Amino acid sequence: MIAHIDAGKTTVTERILYYTGRVHKIGEVHDGEATMDWMLEEKERGITITSACTTCQWKGHSINIIDTPGHVDFTVEVERALRVLDGAIGIFCAVGGVEPQSETVWHQADRYKVPKIAFVNKMDRIGADFYEVVEQIKNKLGAVPLVLQIPWGSESEFKGVIDLIKEKVIVWDEESLGERFEEISVPDEMLDMVEEYKELMLETISESDDEIMEKYLSDEEIDEKTLKKAIRRATIGLKLVPVFCGAALRNKGIQPLLDAIVEYLPSPLDIPPVKGQVPGTDREEERPPDPKAPLTALAFKIAIDGGRKITYLRIYSGTLKPGDSVYNPRKGVTEKIARLIRMHANRKERIDYSQAGDIVAAMGLKNTTTGDTLCLKDSPILLEPIETEEPVITIAVEPKRVQDHDKLIEVLNKLSDEDPTLKYKIDEDTGQIVLSGMGELHLEVVVHRIKREFSLEVNQGKPQVVYRETITKTIQHEEIYEVEIGGQQHFAGIKIEVSPMERGAGNRFVDKCENPALTEEMLNAIKEGILEAQTSGPVMGYPITDVQTALLDVKIKDPNDLMAFKIAASLAFKNAVEKADPILLEPIMRLEVTVPEEFVGDVIAELNTRKGRVEQIEKRGPVQVIKGWAPLSKMFGYSTSLRSVSQGRGTFIMQFSHYDKVE
């Protein structure tokens, strides 16, 4: 389940669990009773913070579900879920439409080539507009929506949905909490609209399927089975996105969505075999989704539960049992599976084995971290790891009692194992513990968890921005390193050129040296020295970014003196950067503020005082959406300011965009 915050992911998941018989009572998010929001932090805040897994059965099929957070600070939870899942349901609010975080997670799913279904939720809310959301899916997400249901009524008049394939209306019995529903004939006033949208549906499918195209052009009758097979092919082939609608809170629209998961989203057998690299070679290998093939699994999430480490695994091929030894090629270690568990949010169910296609949790894996591959030692494979964003905001933390210092380090190790976007370091100059994360909410939740789950009282400093440094002009520099250590002479000469690159390009090393005496080992030592030097810049000691370093020439006396080349390269880079007019860069955030029309002027004025830049203002139903940019350093405490200028009616989301010059 992927979506912007508050689109209804957890509410939809709760209904799915109820109708599939996985739970016997519907838990509501607003009551703090939702099964999938099990953490105390989630219950109190009414938002999802950590992705929760569960498995349920529907019409003879087993469905693995991961309910992901919608808040931008917890995007890594979505990233790692999409990396291991075969299909996604994008949930959109019928009033808000395609919101910023919906775009982010949708494009993440595109990057991993995950087939998707769209569900337009909250059709019962004032301002609900199904057709506008479908347009936004097309225009904002660049997807081809295939409308398979249209709503019968909307807002308080929302009665049910019309299935365009069967040409029937589905209405739910409210007394049975939506468990019972019936199919009735389309009312006369909707017949023309159903005809129009059925025609549009057939036209859209025919554009992506030759078999349907032939039948459509020759006005042949297309039976339901043929149509559904074509929709499945097009969905799995990433050509179309089937669109459904409903109101999860009113228990409407969930069973047809479950049918759609089974009918249109892929099973592990429908997707191409997973590819990985054979460690130590350039050879790629495929592993089919077959229980008899060699074991291939990816650790996509680490969780600490009651002080014990649980590793979530997606099994791509082979079979895994408790007691099995597994090999981790990235770390070069062999570990033993102590227990295998099927997770239902935070409830555990012991299982005897798992096989290709399963998502399970394992206990006993001490050295495995997020993104590691697990396989058999005699048939190793290395899957692509999971990418994570770099933190943009830091705070200083310290234990209230001096004797708790080591315990705090231990807790931070556990939490950063669990969350790759959470980093900490001990500042060499001040001895402070500096904690870095994705946003104010992210760090706030972490500090609360340290206090609550680990009974550790901490003090925290004000949030600080993580800056970067770069250069503004191209400089050539030659460095001669000549020194005598312990009676031994060390010598290396290096000439480099540093030049600025465009924002967001990162650092690059280019070898332009034509000296035939330069060996691979020396080149690696030079690269190492430059990488080390890039961690601290001359302006304020922040990491250097967006710089190209070209090696032009080397002077060699002893080709085995690699240490001299590493030191020379490091000094050459530092001195070159100092001459190249270095500047400080700060993180610039993409901002979207949603407010009622009468507050737009005040909100823009407030943003101007924070050096914000408004790019566009878009009308979205009864509210206005202000889009723009602002430096992170000026955005601390913005939620309080926004509440005061909009009488508590404004909301905003902020997302890291790029680094730019400090004004």
Side-chain angles (χ1 to χ4, degrees), residues 596-615:
E597 201 160 345
E598 61 265 35
F599 301 114
V600 168
D602 293 340
V603 169
I604 291 173
E606 216 279 330
L607 275 176
N608 288 337
T609 65
R610 294 173 181 267
K611 294 192 176 175
R613 197 172 79 235
V614 174
E615 270 202 333

Side-chain angles (χ1 to χ4, degrees), residues 130-332:
F130 173 78
Y131 305 101
E132 169 60 26
V133 179
V134 172
E135 277 306 301
Q136 288 183 21
I137 291 172
K138 192 190 297 178
N139 301 329
K140 287 188 174 182
L141 303 176
V144 182
L146 175 70
V147 177
L148 296 183
Q149 285 180 353
I150 58 172
W152 181 23
S154 74
E155 301 183 348
S156 58
E157 296 297 306
F158 178 64
K159 302 183 191 80
V161 302
I162 301 171
D163 184 324
L164 295 175
I165 296 177
K166 293 180 180 171
E167 293 189 49
K168 290 278 185 191
V169 178
I170 307 171
V171 286
W172 279 265
D173 167 36
E174 299 202 6
E175 281 181 20
S176 70
L177 291 176
E179 207 166 342
R180 291 195 299 273
F181 58 94
E182 57 177 333
E183 293 180 355
I184 58 173
S185 301
V186 177
D188 293 345
E189 74 270 14
M190 292 293 289
L191 283 169
D192 290 346
M193 197 162 193
V194 169
E195 197 54 48
E196 180 195 332
Y197 271 87
K198 175 134 193 188
E199 196 63 27
L200 183 65
M201 175 189 79
L202 292 170
E203 206 177 286
T204 309
I205 301 168
S206 65
E207 283 169 11
S208 69
D209 194 286
D210 294 342
E211 185 188 346
I212 302 291
M213 172 75 87
E214 277 177 41
K215 293 188 173 187
Y216 178 67
L217 292 175
S218 55
D219 279 342
E220 248 183 86
E221 187 66 39
I222 307 168
D223 64 277
E224 192 179 316
K225 200 174 172 186
T226 308
L227 206 50
K228 284 184 172 177
K229 276 187 174 171
I231 296 169
R232 183 182 179 84
R233 282 194 298 271
T235 307
I236 293 171
L238 304 172
K239 294 175 183 171
L240 300 174
V241 176
V243 183
F244 300 84
C245 60
L249 198 60
R250 302 279 168 264
N251 310 313
K252 293 175 181 176
I254 302 300
Q255 292 92 336
L257 181 64
L258 272 163
D259 289 340
I261 293 171
V262 169
E263 285 166 348
Y264 307 130
L265 287 179
S267 89
L269 299 171
D270 295 315
I271 55 164
V274 67
K275 284 182 182 170
Q277 196 179 11
V278 178
T281 70
D282 292 334
R283 204 170 80 246
E284 258 201 345
E285 203 171 278
E286 287 188 346
R287 293 280 165 92
D290 179 355
K292 293 187 176 69
L295 174 73
T296 308
L298 186 76
F300 68 93
K301 178 178 162 77
I302 305 294
I304 306 296
D305 183 26
R308 287 179 302 183
K309 181 175 169 183
I310 296 175
T311 308
Y312 285 77
L313 304 173
R314 160 71 199 257
I315 312 229
Y316 286 101
S317 70
T319 303
L320 190 60
K321 295 188 185 78
D324 283 359
S325 288
V326 290
Y327 179 61
N328 181 336
R330 194 158 76 91
K331 305 258 171 67

Side-chain angles (χ1 to χ4, degrees), residues 331-549:
K331 305 258 171 67
V333 293
T334 300
E335 298 197 84
K336 204 167 205 166
I337 303 282
R339 244 189 263 168
L340 276 182
I341 304 159
R342 180 160 286 127
M343 296 299 289
H344 175 50
N346 66 328
R347 289 208 286 282
K348 305 176 197 69
E349 203 177 284
R350 285 180 80 155
I351 51 175
D352 298 329
Y353 74 97
S354 65
Q355 56 187 33
D358 282 344
I359 286 180
V360 293
M363 295 180 86
L365 300 170
K366 290 187 178 69
N367 298 307
T368 304
T369 51
T370 300
D372 282 357
T373 306
L374 297 177
C375 55
L376 300 175
K377 194 161 189 178
D378 53 7
S379 53
I381 189 168
L382 199 53
L383 302 178
E384 186 190 337
I386 295 169
E387 290 175 14
T388 57
E389 301 261 336
E390 282 300 305
V392 293
I393 183 170
T394 66
I395 56 171
V397 290
E398 62 179 28
K400 284 196 172 168
R401 301 184 318 161
V402 177
Q403 58 265 45
D404 285 340
H405 185 273
D406 289 349
K407 188 181 174 187
L408 179 58
I409 297 293
E410 195 184 310
V411 167
L412 290 177
N413 277 329
K414 285 180 178 175
L415 291 173
S416 54
D417 264 357
E418 199 176 291
D419 179 356
T421 58
L422 181 72
K423 306 262 171 80
Y424 82 91
K425 66 174 186 182
I426 297 171
D427 190 294
E428 287 175 12
D429 301 327
T430 62
Q432 269 185 325
I433 301 170
V434 179
L435 196 58
S436 311
M438 301 307 292
E440 281 184 278
L441 179 65
H442 185 199
L443 293 178
E444 193 184 310
V445 166
V446 168
V447 171
H448 276 213
R449 286 187 63 196
I450 291 171
K451 290 175 184 173
R452 181 176 271 155
E453 290 175 34
F454 299 95
S455 308
L456 196 60
E457 287 297 319
V458 292
N459 296 322
Q460 67 184 81
K462 276 189 172 173
Q464 300 287 324
V465 174
V466 180
Y467 291 94
R468 291 282 184 272
E469 296 182 21
T470 193
I471 58 174
T472 52
K473 65 180 188 185
T474 301
I475 286 289
Q476 285 191 7
H477 177 79
E478 186 169 17
E479 187 75 34
I480 302 290
Y481 174 72
E482 197 167 4
V483 72
E484 189 180 309
I485 303 171
Q488 196 179 347
Q489 197 70 27
H490 293 277
F491 175 89
I494 284 177
K495 188 177 183 185
I496 60 167
E497 178 183 83
V498 291
S499 47
M501 290 166 71
E502 66 275 9
R503 291 288 159 269
N507 292 325
R508 189 189 300 154
F509 178 82
V510 186
D511 177 17
K512 290 185 179 176
C513 178
E514 290 175 8
N515 189 330
L518 179 69
T519 65
E520 190 72 31
E521 288 80 14
M522 286 156 67
L523 189 63
N524 287 338
I526 290 166
K527 279 186 198 171
E528 252 180 71
I530 287 167
L531 273 174
E532 257 177 40
Q534 285 168 349
T535 59
S536 172
V539 184
M540 285 175 73
Y542 287 104
I544 293 170
T545 189
D546 303 341
V547 173
Q548 175 174 294
T549 310

Side-chain angles (χ1 to χ4, degrees), residues 570-591:
S570 186
L571 291 170
F573 184 82
K574 279 181 175 169
N575 292 330
V577 166
E578 275 183 21
K579 293 186 203 166
D581 293 354
I583 56 165
L584 203 59
L585 300 175
E586 65 179 335
I588 305 294
M589 311 302 279
R590 186 157 63 97
L591 195 66

